[in-house]
Every structure is written in C-alpha cells, then in structure tokens.
Amino acid sequence: MSATPRSPRLKDPQRRLLPRTMATLRNLAIRVFRQDGRSNIAAACRHTARDPQRALTALGIT
C-alpha cells in the first residue's frame, strides 16, 4: 500500500511563511538604512555585507 497523498492545503502556510519573513527582514533593513541617512540602499547593503558587525551597530545592539 502506498501512503496517502497529503492535502495541498497543509503546505500552504509553510510555503507563504518564508517569503513573508524574507520580505519583512528586507523592509527592516531598508528602514534602518534610511534612518541611518543612506539614500543608496544597494550600496548600503554591499557596505554592510563586508562586515556584519556594522548591521548590529546600526541597530544599536553593540
């Protein structure tokens, strides 16, 4: 006997969770960059990616 197929509805919340989470994190990063006075978001992302400690400093964590 083969296993019964799962209902596609069971996977829907899981499929939607990751894109929403990533969009929220992206929006948070953009907001922090703008509050920090950055107008070029792409350049700010590259600058922060070189040293992840900069992100924590921008958030006031360190």
Side-chain angles (χ1 to χ4, degrees):
M1 295 193 112
S2 64
T4 59
R6 290 186 184 185
S7 169
R9 290 183 176 188
L10 293 178
K11 291 185 179 182
D12 282 346
Q14 294 172 354
R15 285 186 198 164
R16 289 182 290 199
L17 182 62
L18 183 60
R20 285 184 182 182
T21 302
M22 296 303 292
T24 300
L25 292 173
R26 183 192 67 228
N27 291 337
L28 173 66
I30 290 170
R31 192 174 321 130
V32 168
F33 289 144
R34 287 194 175 140
Q35 285 178 349
D36 215 22
R38 303 290 191 107
S39 59
N40 188 335
I41 302 302
C45 286
R46 288 189 299 270
H47 181 75
T48 304
R50 288 186 213 120
D51 182 12
Q53 187 68 30
R54 292 176 183 153
L56 298 176
T57 302
L59 292 171
I61 294 176
T62 58

